[in-house]
Amino acid sequence: MNYHILFMTVGFVFLYGFAILIFRVARSAPKMPLKIAHAVLLISALVFAAVGLRAAHEKRKDRPPIILYSIHSWLGILVFIGFGLQWVLGFAFFLIPQTPIQLRSIYLPFHTIFGPILYGLIILVCLTGITEVQLFFGNYQDLHDHAMIGNFLGLFIVFFGALVFFLVTYSPFRRVEVTPTKSVLESGLEAVPKTQNVPENSGTVPRSRQCSETTA
């Protein structure tokens, strides 16, 4: 069994995908628990990916072909490093209460943009890796059992990745944020939506005045 493919797919495709979607699927839930769940899913994905890299190294270290020679391995290492940096910076900026609010607001656009870009690169790395494995088996054009499994796995990864991108970019699934005050941000509590006041010139009679007029 190829543990490299198993652990990399579970970690970087599914766990990372679920971590991206958690703010969309549970968009009405309190934000701090979602942040913690997001961080836990990401660190779990990183652990799975580390085990997958170790499995690839152990499988090829004593026999050809040598490791780290293909575009798949180069992109894979870059994605792994970028993913680790993304997690460390996200933890430092969004889960440490002492981080200044101004720094959070500056880094937030980069964090939200780099995440989907990194996920797209992961899909690309998976497809190049599947193709590379199929070529090692030989007679890829005959579509033997391994080739069919690899092709269907690639299609499934592409469809799952497309679903993640759709839910991330589809505006009805976006989380509606309530603008919090500075004290709320510093305390880490959820902001309470303000009640809407009736404008003075709207022509609507206040309830207290209606009651007094009815009594009179």
Side-chain angles (χ1 to χ4, degrees), residues 16-95:
Y16 189 21
F18 294 146
I20 293 175
L21 292 180
I22 194 169
F23 290 105
R24 300 295 187 266
V25 176
R27 56 189 179 276
S28 59
K31 195 167 186 179
M32 184 53 66
L34 292 182
K35 286 184 178 181
I36 296 175
H38 180 73
V40 171
L41 285 172
L42 290 179
I43 194 63
S44 301
L46 190 62
V47 171
F48 269 79
V51 175
L53 286 179
R54 180 67 178 179
H57 180 267
E58 291 296 325
K59 187 175 182 179
R60 296 187 181 181
K61 66 178 181 179
D62 296 327
R63 56 185 176 180
I66 60 175
I67 60 176
L68 297 180
Y69 71 96
S70 65
I71 187 64
H72 168 71
S73 58
W74 288 15
L75 284 176
I77 294 298
L78 290 177
V79 164
F80 185 83
I81 295 174
F83 186 92
L85 290 176
Q86 174 86 337
W87 189 90
V88 171
L89 292 175
F91 182 87
F93 278 94
F94 302 120
L95 287 180

Side-chain angles (χ1 to χ4, degrees), residues 5-16 45 48:
I5 295 178
L6 174 64
F7 279 90
M8 299 303 288
T9 303
V10 172
F12 269 175
V13 176
F14 295 110
L15 290 180
Y16 189 21
F48 269 79

Side-chain angles (χ1 to χ4, degrees), residues 134-135 138-144 147 151:
Q134 301 293 7
L135 294 176
N139 299 324
Y140 188 13
Q141 67 277 7
D142 295 336
L143 288 179
H144 46 74
N151 287 351

